[in-house]
């Protein structure tokens, strides 16, 4: 995946990325708040040679001090120093614990030794640094003092006491620090931000890897090998107002259904289906909304259209139009009424056969010979019959109904339906031998157009001819109502 693709992925998963960033920054702030402040005090020593002291073969003066000072720095945290300081100051720390808080460095080509002490108490840090410096001077001078040789017998005068060839002095006393050296709030926040970015990248990549839903029409076409006849944009009000073709003007969704109608007519120009079923792999895909608005869109062209609610599990057509549901398809199938007795009108231009009472055996009713006769009867009375049926995967209702119709439209919801579900639904239809007209990609992100007072959804690809058919020479898409 290139950078552009990854940025698109981040844009799709921006809530996850934002949460990870906030978690990282919050973790950095928590480290700052919960960490005990540590203070640092420093003292400095100067190493010099004593004048008039014999140094044998070693270089004199400054060269001698520089040669020895690196070794002195290693003595600062030894028990000879830390044990004495811990007892002298009454510290509760052991010599080893105290040594872990002391560091000493001797800059090259200098005769200076910097002693640094860290502690949670700034005043105590300064006391320890000064005490370590004082004790260190004593220890070094004692180590450098040669052992006194005994006077020979008969000597009248004892030899002078040996003296250390080096002299250490304090050039800088440790002062009480005013600011802690850790935690560093800015550094912790930056580290938290970087950690949040890494967490966000990993979480987004993991979610994308685990997400098997289809997000684009191109991906849907490749997966099913079927033409994508329409892309219906998502509308927050669509759950409450399913009807987009209400004649109140040109909206984004209304134009999308007009494009679906035009693409459907163009794709089936040689053999237009009279009875078509609208279904989906699983519930919640928008199949009923698609069936209702497709039927209204076809009726707007002057066709005689009948909409049949054959979803006998969760019928929705009657509620959408505010019609009577108790008398309808099931009433006709069991012989209690004729079609003309229960047919209702909706929106002033559409004939609607509602579901009727919900039966205990919907699969058997929809696959019955009486259902086939009813569909033939409706096909003889209307130009187009649009049938809203149950989802394919949960129940077998549509599988039994499909062989009785001329074609099937498969509705797939963007970023919701899994690839395996779509593939299983398409395979189920193929096994029945039914003619699959194409797919409808529902609830996609809408493009907000400007300048015409309404917008369009994503540009639809030219639908491919049905299997075994050749594309008509010179054929062109029929114009969509409202387009210029």
């Amino acid at each position: 995946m290139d950078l552009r693709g990854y940025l698109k992925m981040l844009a799709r998963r921006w809530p996850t990325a934002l949460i990870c960033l906030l978690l990282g920054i919050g973790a950095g702030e928590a480290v700052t708040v919960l960490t005990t402040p540590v203070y640092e005090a420093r003292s400095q020593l100067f190493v010099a040679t004593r004048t008039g002291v014999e140094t044998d073969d070693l270089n004199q003066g400054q060269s001698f001090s520089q040669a020895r000072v690196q070794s002195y720095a290693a003595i600062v945290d030894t028990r000879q120093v830390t044990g004495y300081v811990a007892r002298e100051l009454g510290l509760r720390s052991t010599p080893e614990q105290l040594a872990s808080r002391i560091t000493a460095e001797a800059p090259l080509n200098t005769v200076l030794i910097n002693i640094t002490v860290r502690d949670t108490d700034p005043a105590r840090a300064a006391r320890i640094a000064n005490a370590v410096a004082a004790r260190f001077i004593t220890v070094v001078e004692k180590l450098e003092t040669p052992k006194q040789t005994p006077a020979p017998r008969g000597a009248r005068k004892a030899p002078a006491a040996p003296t250390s060839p080096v002299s250490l002095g304090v050039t800088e006393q440790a002062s009480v620090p005013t600011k802690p050296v850790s935690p560093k709030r800015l550094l912790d926040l930056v580290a938290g931000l970087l950690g949040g970015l890494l967490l966000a990248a990993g979480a987004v990549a993991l979610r994308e890897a685990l997400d098997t839903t289809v997000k684009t029409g191109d991906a849907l076409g490749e997966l099913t090998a079927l033409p994508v006849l329409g892309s219906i944009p998502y509308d927050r009000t669509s759950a409450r107002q399913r009807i987009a073709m209400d004649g109140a003007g040109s909206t984004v969704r209304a134009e999308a259904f007009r494009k679906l109608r035009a693409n459907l007519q163009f794709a089936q120009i040689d053999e237009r289906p009279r009875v078509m079923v609208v279904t989906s792999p699983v519930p919640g895909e928008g199949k009923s909304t698609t069936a209702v608005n497709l039927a209204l869109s076809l009726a707007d062209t002057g066709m005689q259209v009948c909409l049949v609610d054959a979803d006998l599990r969760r019928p929705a057509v009657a509620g959408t139009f505010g019609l009577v549901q108790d008398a309808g398809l099931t009433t006709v199938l069991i012989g209690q009424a004729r079609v003309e007795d229960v047919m209702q009108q909706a929106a002033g231009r559409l004939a609607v056969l509602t579901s009727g009472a919900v039966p205990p055996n919907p699969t058997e009713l929809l696959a019955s010979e009486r259902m086939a006769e009813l569909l033939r009867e409706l096909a003889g009375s209307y130009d187009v019959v649009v049938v809203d049926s149950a989802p394919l995967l949960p129940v077998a209702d549509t599988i039994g109904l499909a062989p009785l119709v001329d074609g099937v439209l498969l509705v797939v919801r963007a970023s919701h339906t899994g690839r395996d579900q779509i593939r299983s639904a398409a395979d189920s239809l193929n096994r029945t031998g039914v003619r699959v007209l194409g797919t409808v990609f529902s609830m996609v992100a809408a493009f907000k157009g400007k300048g015409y007072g309404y917008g369009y959804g994503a540009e639809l690809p030219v639908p491919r001819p049905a299997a075994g058919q050749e594309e008509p020479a010179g054929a062109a898409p029929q114009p969509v109502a409202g387009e210029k």
Side-chain angles (χ1 to χ4, degrees), residues 232-288:
I232 312 303
Y234 173 74
D235 189 346
R236 293 179 183 273
T237 63
S238 61
R240 302 187 301 271
Q241 182 64 36
R242 290 183 174 180
I243 302 176
M245 313 301 297
D246 56 2
S250 295
T251 63
V252 175
R253 293 178 67 230
E255 289 302 319
F257 283 113
R258 292 189 183 102
K259 286 188 175 184
L260 170 60
R261 176 192 67 198
N263 284 339
L264 180 62
Q265 292 173 339
F266 173 74
Q268 309 300 332
I269 192 170
D270 290 335
E271 188 181 352
R272 292 180 179 176
R274 300 293 296 273
V275 181
M276 66 180 75
V277 164
V278 180
T279 185
S280 62
V282 292
E285 306 285 297
K287 66 170 183 62
S288 296

Side-chain angles (χ1 to χ4, degrees), residues 399-420:
I399 298 300
L401 176 63
L404 308 181
V405 302
D406 300 327
V408 175
L409 272 180
L410 183 63
V411 179
V412 175
R413 181 175 173 180
S415 302
H416 179 270
T417 316
R419 291 177 175 271
D420 291 340

